[in-house]
């Protein structure tokens, strides 16, 4: 596996957003990130999507972004590689899914969005591509 900036950024997002979730949930978070890259509403670069202003809570929470759990970090990099290389047989979510949040919060932006799935502790929604 070649470590690229895109792989590192996607792996960081999977690690911080879905570490401890089932494999399907971690893949879904990676897919949402890549769905945003493909969308006209977001930047067309993985790192730019991940670091886009206040899109993912871990990017602006004031805590260190350096992974502290070596096993979870290795898993996040593998998941990012699978997602970036299109190695899954079938996607977990449709390409129209651009949003998610943890099930213990109720963000204002979720109102009016089409609920698509709940995987682990995340709720996924369609967005306008």
């Amino acid at each position: 596996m070649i470590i690229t900036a895109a792989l590192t950024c996607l792996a960081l997002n999977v690690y911080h957003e879905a570490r401890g979730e089932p494999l399907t949930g971690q893949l879904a978070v990676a897919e949402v990130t890549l769905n945003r890259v493909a969308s006209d509403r977001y930047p067309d670069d993985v790192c730019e999507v991940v670091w886009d202003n206040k899109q993912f809570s871990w990017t602006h929470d004031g805590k260190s972004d350096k992974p502290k759990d070596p096993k979870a970090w290795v898993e996040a990099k593998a998941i990012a590689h699978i997602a970036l290389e299109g190695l899954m047989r079938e996607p977990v979510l449709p390409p129209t899914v651009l949003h998610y949040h943890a099930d213990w919060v109720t963000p204002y932006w979720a109102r009016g969005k089409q609920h698509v799935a709940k995987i682990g502790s995340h709720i996924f929604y369609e967005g306008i591509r």
Side-chain angles (χ1 to χ4, degrees):
M1 171 184 358
I2 297 172
I3 305 297
T4 64
L7 187 133
T8 299
C9 290
L10 185 57
L12 281 169
N13 208 40
V14 169
Y15 177 89
H16 289 292
E17 291 284 315
R19 175 179 75 252
E21 289 291 308
L23 176 60
T24 306
Q26 293 182 63
L27 287 165
V29 164
E31 284 182 353
V32 168
T33 308
L34 295 179
N35 288 351
R36 287 184 178 197
V37 172
S39 170
D40 293 338
R41 298 186 64 210
Y42 293 92
D44 60 0
D45 175 84
V46 173
C47 291
E48 288 179 31
V49 164
V50 169
W51 292 102
D52 201 12
N53 188 36
K54 295 190 177 185
Q55 293 297 305
F56 300 104
S57 60
W58 69 271
T59 63
H60 61 276
D61 64 5
K63 298 177 184 174
S64 172
D65 299 331
K66 185 177 179 184
K68 294 179 178 23
D69 179 338
K71 182 178 181 240
W73 178 233
V74 167
E75 188 172 86
K77 288 189 291 187
I79 289 165
H81 174 75
I82 288 165
L84 283 169
E85 297 299 323
L87 300 176
M88 294 172 35
R89 289 186 185 166
E90 292 183 28
V92 176
L93 298 167
T96 54
V97 177
L98 299 176
H99 310 281
Y100 64 86
H101 64 81
D103 61 6
W104 61 84
V105 297
T106 308
Y108 72 90
W109 56 260
R111 281 178 276 154
K113 296 225 183 294
Q114 179 64 43
H115 173 269
V116 174
K118 182 173 187 304
I119 304 170
S121 64
H122 287 96
I123 301 169
F124 295 86
Y125 299 89
E126 283 188 327
I128 300 169
R129 286 185 55 101

